[in-house]
Amino acid sequence: IIKPWKALQETITIAWQYACSEPRNVVFSAKVGLALVIISVLMFMNIPNKAIDKYAIWGIMTVILVFEFSIGATLNKGFNRGLGTLFAGGLAMGVAELSLMTEKLEVAFIISSIFIAGFCSTVMKLYPKMKHYEYGFRVFLLTYCFILVSGYKKREFLKTAVNRFLLILIGAAVSLLVNICIYPIWAGEDLHNLVVKNFSAVANALEGCIDEYLQYCEYDRITSKYPGNQGLLYEGCMSAVRSTSREETLEGFALWEPPHGRYKKFNYPWRNYVKLSGALRHCAFVVLALGGCIDSEIQAPPECRQVFSSELKRVSSEGAKVLRELAEKIDKMEKLKAGDGILLEVCKAAEELQNKIDRKSYLLINSDSCLIKKPEDLDNSENLFDIQQNDNKILRIKSFSETCLDLRSVLLSKSSNEISTTKIVESLPTEGVLSKSTSNEQILWSSYSLTFEDVHNDKESKTYGSASALSLATFTSLLIEFVFRLQYLVEVFQELSEAACFKESIVDLKAETKSMLSGQD
Amino acid sequence: IIKPWKALQETITIAWQYACSEPRNVVFSAKVGLALVIISVLMFMNIPNKAIDKYAIWGIMTVILVFEFSIGATLNKGFNRGLGTLFAGGLAMGVAELSLMTEKLEVAFIISSIFIAGFCSTVMKLYPKMKHYEYGFRVFLLTYCFILVSGYKKREFLKTAVNRFLLILIGAAVSLLVNICIYPIWAGEDLHNLVVKNFSAVANALEGCIDEYLQYCEYDRITSKYPGNQGLLYEGCMSAVRSTSREETLEGFALWEPPHGRYKKFNYPWRNYVKLSGALRHCAFVVLALGGCIDSEIQAPPECRQVFSSELKRVSSEGAKVLRELAEKIDKMEKLKAGDGILLEVCKAAEELQNKIDRKSYLLINSDSCLIKKPEDLDNSENLFDIQQNDNKILRIKSFSETCLDLRSVLLSKSSNEISTTKIVESLPTEGVLSKSTSNEQILWSSYSLTFEDVHNDKESKTYGSASALSLATFTSLLIEFVFRLQYLVEVFQELSEAACFKESIVDLKAETKSMLSGQD
C-alpha cells in the first residue's frame, strides 16, 4: 500500500514543480479546456439546424487542431485550415459535377481524381518553399476526400462542403477568441525575450570562459583535473548557438501577429531580431572556440597565463558589459545614445592586451623561460632577447624533463577532457567509456610520440614547449577577434533599433539637457 | 496568350527539375495517392455493415494523417494514434456510464469531463519528456470529445468507439502495407547517409579552408578582396553543424524501425550514429574557427603564410583523408583494420608543422622580419635571435609606415569582411548596408585608433604587426587542435563499429593472410 502512495506523492511533487516552473503551460492548458467547453456547449444546444448536429465533430476537431500555443501559430494554422478547406471544397464540387456526367464510370472517375489530388498535394507539400503551408495541404486533401466520399454516398456534395466549412469557421472563431482574449501568448514577445536571454547567456559564457582559463592554472598542478563547471556555461552559449530553428519558427509566427503591446508598428521588423541573433551567434562561435582552448590537449603553462591575467579579465568583463548593455537596451527597447562609445572601453582593453602581448611576446613562443623566472619589466626589446637567450641556455636541461612529464600526463588525461568537452554530443556515459577507451588510437599516438621522441628527443620536447605557449597566443587572439565581432553586432543592433523605432535612451535625453544647460551657463 | 503559356512552361520546367532532383518525393507522393485509392475503394464497396458507411471518413483520415515519409515515422504516428484512440475510448466509455447515473446533470458532467481531459492532456503534452507523444495526446483528446459528443446525441457510446477504432486500424494497416511494400524509405538509412555526407562535407571544408588561406595571399595585395567562394565550403560545414535536430528526429524514427536491409541487428545502435556525428561536429567547430581566421580583421602577411604553406597543406590533406576514409568505412560498414594507424600520417604531418613553427617561431611574433628578408635555415636557435634582433633594428622605421598603412586599409574594408563572414546570418543585403554602416562605431574605432596612435605611435604599429603575425599562430594551432580532435572521432567510430557489428575490413583480411604466409616463409 505504501509503494503506490509514495509514487503518487512523487508524481504530485514533480507535477507541482513543473507547474511552478512553467506557469504559462498551465494557463494555456486551461484555455484549451475552456475552448473545448465552449464549442461542446454550442454543439449540445439543440439548434434546429440538423447539420450542426451531424457535423458537430468538425467544430470540435478544429478547436483541437488549430489551438496553438502562440497567437501567431493559431492564426497561421487557422488560415491554412480555412484556405485548404475552401480550395478543396471548390475543387471537390467541380469534380462531383463532372463525375455525374460520366455516369457509369462515376466511381472510377472519383477514385482517380482522389489519386491525382493525393499525388499533387503531397508533391507540392514536400517542395521546400511550401513548407509553411504543409498543414494547409493536409487539410486540403482531407476535405477533398471527405466531401467526395461522404458526399457521394449521400448525394449531398454541396451541403457537406458548406456545413464542413461553417463548422470549421465556428471552431476557428472560438479558438481565436479564447486565445486572444484570455492571457494571450505572443510569439513576437517570446522571440524578443529569447534574443535578450541569448545575449546574457553569451556574456556569462564569455566571463566564465576567461575565469576558468585563469583559474585552471591553480587547479592544474595540484589535481591535474578540470574544475569541470564549464558545462553549465557552455550550455547557455550552446543554446544560443542552437536556437536558430526556434528563432525562425517564432519569427514565422510573429509575422502573422497583429501589432500588440509594445510592438505597435505594422510590419514590425521581426526579421531584424533574427539577424541580430545571427550576429550574436557569430560572437558566440568565438566564445565556443575560447572554450575549446580550455579543453584542448595542449595547454599553456599557468605561469604564462597569469602574466596576462588582468588584461584578459578586463577584456572579458568589458566585452560582457557591452553584451549586457545591448541586452538591456533591447529589453527596454531603447536606442543607443547617439555618438556614445559603447565599444570604447572594450576596444581600449583589447588594445592594452595587444600591447602586453607585444611586450611579452617571447612568452608566446617558448615557455621555458617563464616556467621559473618571470622577467618583470622588459619594455626594452633589446634586453628582452638577451635575457631569453640566457634563460634558454641555462634552463634547457631542466625544462626538457619537465615538458616531457607534462606531455605524458596530458596524453593520459586526454580522453577525460574530451568527454567533458562533448557535452554537445550528450547522452554520453561519463566514466564508463573513459576507462575503456585507453585503447587503440590512444596508445598509438603516445607510442608514436615515444618513438619519435627517441629519435628527436631534443626537438620533440621543444616542439611541445612552443605548442603549449602558442595555445595562449591562440586564446588571446581569439579574444581580440571577439572584440572585433562585437562591432558588427552593434551595427546590427542599430539597424534593428532604427527599423523598430526604439525610443531614445532616457539617460541620453537627461544628459543632453544637462549639457545644453551647462552650455547656456 | 503568350504570357500564361510561358508561365506554364516555366512552371513545368521547375516541376521537372524538382522531380529529377528529388525522385523519392515523387515516389512517395504516388504512394500516398495509392493508399488513398485503396482506402476509398474499401469505403465504396457496399459492405453490409452500415457502420463503415457512416464512419468511412475515419479510415481516410487515418491514411492522410499517419502516412509519413519514413517507415519509422509512420509506425510512430500509427502507434500514437492507435494508443490515443484506445485510451480515449476506454476513458470515454467509463465517463459515459458514469454520466448516465448523474441523470439531470448529465450534460454538465460530460462538459466538465471534457474540460478536465483537455486541461490534463495539454499539460502533459507540453511536458518536455512527453514531446514524442504529442500526436498521441492530440488524438486522445479528439477521440474523447468525439465519442462523448457524438455518442451522447445518438446514445451509442460503445458503437461509436468500436467503429472509430476499427476504421483507424484499417486505415493504419493500409498505410503501413503500402509504405513498407512499395519502395520503402527508412529513416535509419537516411541517418546513415546523412552522417556519411557530413563527414565528406567537413573534409571538403577543411581542405578548402587551407587552400583559401594560402591562396588569399596572392589575391590580397592586388585587389585587397576575398576570392569569396568560401561561402560554398562553409555551407557544407555549417549544415553538418546544424544537422543536430535533423539527426535527432531521424534517430527517433529509426529506433521504431524493424531490422531491415543492411541493418539486420535488433536494437541497432542508432544512438551511436548520433554520437559519432556529435564528435564530427566537435571537429567541424574547429574548421569553422579556421574559417573565422580567414575572415578576421587581423591578417598575417602573405609572405609568412607561404613559409608554412607545404606543411599546412599536408596536414589538411591528411586530415581530410582520415575523414574521407572514415566516411568510406561507415558507408561500407567496415571496421578499421586492427592496429592500423589511420591517424599515423596526419599526426606526423602535424608534428612536422609544429616543428616548423618552432624553428620559425620568430615569424609568429614580429612580422617585420619576414616582410623583406626570409632567413632560410635557422635551426640553430642561437643564431636566430641575433638575426632577428638585427632585422628589428634595421627595418623598424620602414616597417612602421607599412604596418600603419595596412592597418588603415584593414579598418576601412572591415565591414565588407564582416558581411561576407556572416553568411550564417543570411538574408543580408550585401552592398546596401555596407556603404551606410560606416557610421558611429566604425568611425569611433578608427578615430580612437588615431588618437591612440598619436600618443604611442611607435607602440601601436608594433602592436598590429605582432597581432597580424599571431593570427598565423592561431591558424596553425587551431589546425593542430583539429588533429587532436580527430582522435576522439576515431574512438567514437570504433565504438560504433563494435556496437553495430561492422564487418572486418576486406583489405585487412587479405593483408593478414599475406603476413601469415610471409611469417611461415
Side-chain angles (χ1 to χ4, degrees):
Chain A
I1 307 168
I2 296 165
K3 248 190 183 174
W5 177 242
K6 256 199 172 173
L8 187 71
Q9 253 182 331
E10 270 169 31
T11 315
I12 289 174
T13 317
I14 291 172
W16 183 250
Q17 281 168 349
Y18 166 58
C20 291
S21 66
E22 296 279 359
R24 295 203 309 174
N25 287 359
V26 179
V27 174
F28 173 71
S29 304
K31 277 162 71 180
V32 172
L34 182 65
L36 279 176
V37 166
I38 292 174
I39 195 85
S40 307
V41 169
L42 281 181
M43 297 305 132
F44 273 121
M45 287 195 310
N46 282 322
I47 293 166
N49 186 348
K50 261 199 171 178
I52 288 187
D53 237 50
K54 221 163 161 186
Y55 298 104
I57 189 62
W58 294 113
I60 295 174
M61 220 163 137
T62 303
V63 170
I64 293 175
L65 295 178
V66 158
F67 209 97
E68 290 283 333
F69 200 67
S70 69
I71 288 169
T74 305
L75 280 170
N76 181 26
K77 257 197 153 175
F79 173 79
N80 264 315
R81 193 171 173 85
L83 211 68
T85 308
L86 212 58
F87 264 114
L91 200 65
M93 304 273 281
V95 170
E97 283 301 311
L98 279 178
S99 75
L100 290 178
M101 290 191 277
T102 52
E103 290 177 5
K104 273 183 190 164
L105 291 170
E106 197 175 350
V107 172
F109 184 78
I110 288 179
I111 285 180
S112 51
S113 87
I114 285 178
F115 178 83
I116 293 169
F119 179 77
C120 292
S121 69
T122 312
V123 163
M124 281 167 79
K125 181 174 83 180
L126 292 171
Y127 191 65
K129 277 186 191 167
M130 294 290 181
K131 217 181 144 194
H132 286 291
Y133 306 103
E134 199 264 348
Y135 183 69
F137 282 109
R138 223 177 254 268
V139 170
F140 167 83
L141 194 54
L142 193 56
T143 308
Y144 185 82
C145 293
F146 173 65
I147 291 177
L148 280 184
V149 173
S150 251
Y152 171 79
K153 299 228 160 189
K154 292 171 200 149
R155 300 270 148 199
E156 297 175 330
F157 292 112
L158 184 66
K159 209 175 157 192
T160 312
V162 170
N163 279 326
R164 183 171 151 81
F165 190 68
L166 270 182
L167 276 153
I168 284 181
L169 271 190
I170 294 174
V174 168
S175 297
L176 263 182
L177 276 178
V178 171
N179 214 356
I180 293 184
C181 296
I182 303 170
Y183 190 84
I185 298 167
W186 302 94
E189 183 83 36
D190 278 8
L191 178 59
H192 179 100
N193 293 334
L194 180 65
V195 171
V196 173
K197 204 184 96 198
N198 284 349
F199 265 84
S200 30
V202 174
N204 290 338
L206 175 68
E207 281 193 330
C209 234
I210 307 288
D211 283 350
E212 185 131 16
Y213 193 70
L214 298 170
Q215 230 178 37
Y216 170 60
C217 321
E218 293 149 28
Y219 286 67
D220 182 27
R221 288 295 155 106
I222 306 162
T223 63
S224 84
K225 257 194 177 176
Y226 291 117
N229 62 349
Q230 84 245 35
L232 278 172
L233 293 168
Y234 268 165
E235 213 71 343
C237 204
M238 273 309 289
S239 76
V241 169
R242 275 200 207 150
S243 65
T244 331
S245 64
R246 193 169 145 63
E247 277 160 26
E248 274 163 16
T249 313
L250 284 177
E251 186 211 345
F253 294 147
L255 289 173
W256 277 91
E257 290 172 355
H260 59 275
R262 303 194 287 168
Y263 317 97
K264 285 201 193 84
K265 211 168 162 266
F266 270 98
N267 288 323
Y268 197 81
W270 296 115
R271 283 183 215 288
N272 287 56
Y273 273 96
V274 176
K275 192 178 163 191
L276 181 64
S277 204
L280 177 67
R281 208 167 294 124
H282 198 46
C283 294
F285 278 129
V286 181
V287 177
L288 283 183
L290 284 172
C293 284
I294 298 179
D295 294 327
S296 84
E297 280 71 34
I298 304 167
Q299 289 290 346
E303 290 86 350
C304 285
R305 300 181 196 189
Q306 284 306 344
V307 174
F308 299 99
S309 161
S310 67
E311 282 78 11
L312 287 174
K313 268 194 181 153
R314 200 175 147 218
V315 174
S316 80
S317 68
E318 289 298 336
K321 219 174 93 185
V322 169
L323 288 178
R324 292 209 182 95
E325 199 172 328
L326 285 180
E328 205 194 310
K329 290 277 173 200
I330 300 167
D331 199 27
K332 290 186 181 168
M333 303 181 77
E334 283 179 1
K335 280 184 186 166
L336 278 177
K337 298 159 213 166
D340 172 26
I342 189 175
L343 289 170
L344 198 69
E345 286 301 315
V346 74
C347 284
K348 255 187 209 162
E351 203 94 27
E352 252 164 52
L353 174 62
Q354 194 61 264
N355 279 329
K356 181 94 167 223
I357 291 172
D358 195 43
R359 267 181 289 139
K360 312 258 176 180
S361 54
Y362 60 93
L363 287 178
L364 301 181
I365 289 199
N366 203 324
S367 58
D368 296 359
S369 53
C370 83
L371 279 174
I372 281 131
K373 196 175 172 183
K374 291 179 226 165
E376 285 300 325
D377 286 292
L378 289 171
D379 291 45
N380 189 336
S381 56
E382 262 76 44
N383 277 345
L384 192 151
F385 289 106
D386 291 336
I387 289 178
Q388 197 189 3
Q389 237 172 290
N390 292 337
D391 277 2
N392 281 353
K393 279 177 199 158
I394 300 163
L395 302 173
R396 183 135 299 171
I397 300 151
K398 185 183 169 125
S399 65
F400 274 173
S401 60
E402 256 192 56
T403 342
C404 289
L405 263 174
D406 276 351
L407 173 64
R408 204 60 47 239
S409 72
V410 162
L411 279 166
L412 288 176
S413 69
K414 194 197 67 69
S415 57
S416 70
N417 306 356
E418 275 296 358
I419 279 172
S420 77
T421 309
T422 35
K423 272 279 153 64
I424 313 158
V425 188
E426 283 170 15
S427 76
L428 287 179
T430 340
E431 290 299 320
V433 183
L434 236 183
S435 46
K436 210 184 70 188
S437 73
T438 344
S439 61
N440 272 4
E441 303 307 326
Q442 203 66 12
I443 290 159
L444 195 124
W445 173 270
S446 54
S447 72
Y448 169 69
S449 300
L450 274 168
T451 55
F452 197 89
E453 217 170 303
D454 292 338
V455 189
H456 319 262
N457 197 344
D458 183 87
K459 221 192 259 173
E460 162 80 349
S461 48
K462 241 170 69 198
T463 297
Y464 276 91
S466 82
S468 81
L470 270 181
S471 113
L472 180 58
T474 307
F475 192 82
T476 48
S477 58
L478 278 174
L479 194 56
I480 289 165
E481 175 66 23
F482 177 82
V483 174
F484 271 102
R485 292 191 178 186
L486 273 184
Q487 289 186 286
Y488 178 65
L489 186 66
V490 171
E491 263 171 49
V492 176
F493 170 77
Q494 284 180 324
E495 222 175 280
L496 167 68
S497 68
E498 288 300 327
C501 300
F502 281 4
K503 56 181 181 288
E504 299 291 332
S505 167
I506 298 166
V507 188
D508 185 34
L509 287 173
K510 274 183 192 165
E512 262 178 23
T513 332
K514 260 186 194 171
S515 69
M516 271 171 69
L517 286 172
S518 65
Q520 284 177 338
D521 293 340
Chain B
I1 304 168
I2 295 165
K3 244 189 183 174
W5 176 242
K6 254 198 171 173
L8 187 71
Q9 254 182 331
E10 269 171 31
T11 314
I12 289 173
T13 318
I14 291 174
W16 183 250
Q17 280 168 351
Y18 167 57
C20 291
S21 67
E22 295 278 0
R24 295 204 308 176
N25 288 358
V26 179
V27 173
F28 172 71
S29 303
K31 278 162 70 179
V32 172
L34 182 65
L36 278 177
V37 166
I38 292 175
I39 195 86
S40 306
V41 169
L42 280 180
M43 296 305 132
F44 274 120
M45 289 196 308
N46 283 319
I47 295 167
N49 186 350
K50 263 201 169 177
I52 289 187
D53 235 50
K54 221 161 155 189
Y55 297 105
I57 188 62
W58 295 115
I60 295 175
M61 217 162 139
T62 302
V63 170
I64 293 175
L65 295 178
V66 158
F67 209 97
E68 290 282 333
F69 200 67
S70 69
I71 289 169
T74 305
L75 279 169
N76 181 25
K77 257 198 151 175
F79 173 80
N80 264 315
R81 195 171 171 84
L83 210 67
T85 308
L86 211 60
F87 264 112
L91 199 65
M93 305 273 280
V95 170
E97 282 302 311
L98 279 179
S99 76
L100 290 178
M101 288 192 277
T102 51
E103 290 177 5
K104 275 183 188 165
L105 292 169
E106 198 175 349
V107 173
F109 185 79
I110 288 179
I111 285 181
S112 52
S113 87
I114 285 179
F115 178 83
I116 293 169
F119 179 77
C120 293
S121 68
T122 312
V123 163
M124 280 166 79
K125 182 172 83 179
L126 293 171
Y127 191 64
K129 278 186 190 165
M130 293 292 181
K131 215 181 146 195
H132 285 290
Y133 305 103
E134 199 265 346
Y135 184 68
F137 282 110
R138 223 178 255 269
V139 170
F140 167 83
L141 195 54
L142 194 55
T143 309
Y144 185 82
C145 293
F146 174 65
I147 291 176
L148 280 185
V149 174
S150 250
Y152 171 77
K153 300 228 160 191
K154 292 168 202 153
R155 300 271 148 201
E156 297 175 330
F157 292 112
L158 185 66
K159 211 176 156 191
T160 313
V162 170
N163 279 325
R164 182 171 150 83
F165 190 68
L166 270 182
L167 275 152
I168 285 182
L169 270 191
I170 294 173
V174 169
S175 298
L176 263 183
L177 276 178
V178 171
N179 214 355
I180 293 184
C181 296
I182 303 172
Y183 190 83
I185 297 166
W186 301 94
E189 184 84 34
D190 277 7
L191 179 60
H192 180 100
N193 292 335
L194 180 66
V195 171
V196 172
K197 203 185 98 200
N198 283 350
F199 265 84
S200 30
V202 174
N204 290 338
L206 174 67
E207 281 193 329
C209 234
I210 307 288
D211 282 351
E212 184 130 18
Y213 193 69
L214 297 170
Q215 234 178 35
Y216 169 61
C217 321
E218 293 149 31
Y219 287 68
D220 184 25
R221 287 296 157 106
I222 306 162
T223 64
S224 86
K225 256 195 179 174
Y226 292 119
N229 62 349
Q230 84 246 32
L232 279 172
L233 292 167
Y234 266 165
E235 213 70 343
C237 204
M238 273 309 288
S239 76
V241 169
R242 275 200 207 149
S243 66
T244 331
S245 64
R246 194 168 143 66
E247 277 160 25
E248 274 162 17
T249 313
L250 283 177
E251 186 210 344
F253 293 146
L255 290 173
W256 277 90
E257 289 172 356
H260 59 276
R262 303 193 287 169
Y263 318 97
K264 288 202 191 78
K265 210 166 162 267
F266 270 98
N267 288 324
Y268 196 81
W270 295 115
R271 280 183 216 289
N272 286 58
Y273 273 95
V274 175
K275 190 177 164 190
L276 181 64
S277 204
L280 177 67
R281 206 165 295 126
H282 199 45
C283 293
F285 277 129
V286 181
V287 176
L288 283 181
L290 285 172
C293 284
I294 298 179
D295 294 327
S296 84
E297 278 71 34
I298 304 167
Q299 290 289 346
E303 291 86 347
C304 285
R305 297 182 197 186
Q306 285 305 347
V307 175
F308 299 99
S309 162
S310 66
E311 282 78 10
L312 286 174
K313 270 194 181 154
R314 197 170 152 223
V315 174
S316 80
S317 68
E318 289 297 337
K321 220 174 91 184
V322 170
L323 287 179
R324 291 207 183 96
E325 200 171 326
L326 286 179
E328 204 194 310
K329 292 276 173 200
I330 300 166
D331 200 25
K332 290 187 181 167
M333 303 181 79
E334 283 179 1
K335 279 183 186 169
L336 280 177
K337 299 158 212 165
D340 171 26
I342 188 176
L343 290 170
L344 199 66
E345 285 302 314
V346 73
C347 285
K348 255 189 209 160
E351 203 94 28
E352 253 165 52
L353 175 62
Q354 193 62 263
N355 279 327
K356 181 96 167 220
I357 291 172
D358 196 45
R359 268 182 289 138
K360 311 256 175 181
S361 52
Y362 60 93
L363 287 178
L364 301 182
I365 288 197
N366 204 325
S367 58
D368 297 356
S369 52
C370 82
L371 278 174
I372 280 129
K373 195 173 172 182
K374 291 179 221 164
E376 285 301 325
D377 286 292
L378 290 169
D379 292 48
N380 189 336
S381 57
E382 263 75 44
N383 276 346
L384 192 150
F385 288 106
D386 291 337
I387 288 177
Q388 199 188 0
Q389 236 170 297
N390 292 338
D391 278 2
N392 282 350
K393 279 176 199 159
I394 300 163
L395 302 173
R396 183 133 302 170
I397 300 150
K398 186 188 162 114
S399 66
F400 275 175
S401 61
E402 255 192 57
T403 341
C404 289
L405 264 173
D406 276 350
L407 172 63
R408 204 58 48 237
S409 72
V410 161
L411 279 168
L412 288 176
S413 70
K414 194 196 69 65
S415 56
S416 71
N417 307 354
E418 273 298 359
I419 278 170
S420 77
T421 309
T422 33
K423 272 277 154 63
I424 312 158
V425 188
E426 283 168 16
S427 76
L428 287 179
T430 341
E431 291 298 320
V433 182
L434 238 181
S435 46
K436 208 186 68 188
S437 73
T438 344
S439 60
N440 272 3
E441 305 307 325
Q442 203 67 10
I443 288 159
L444 198 125
W445 172 271
S446 54
S447 72
Y448 169 68
S449 298
L450 274 167
T451 54
F452 196 88
E453 218 169 298
D454 292 337
V455 190
H456 318 266
N457 196 345
D458 184 89
K459 222 191 256 171
E460 161 80 349
S461 48
K462 243 170 66 198
T463 296
Y464 276 91
S466 81
S468 82
L470 271 182
S471 114
L472 180 58
T474 307
F475 193 82
T476 49
S477 58
L478 279 174
L479 194 57
I480 289 167
E481 176 66 24
F482 177 81
V483 174
F484 271 102
R485 291 192 178 183
L486 273 184
Q487 290 186 286
Y488 178 65
L489 187 66
V490 171
E491 261 171 50
V492 176
F493 170 78
Q494 285 181 324
E495 222 174 278
L496 166 68
S497 68
E498 289 299 328
C501 300
F502 281 3
K503 57 182 179 288
E504 298 292 332
S505 168
I506 299 165
V507 187
D508 185 36
L509 288 173
K510 274 185 193 165
E512 262 180 24
T513 333
K514 260 187 195 171
S515 71
M516 270 172 67
L517 286 171
S518 67
Q520 282 177 341
D521 292 341

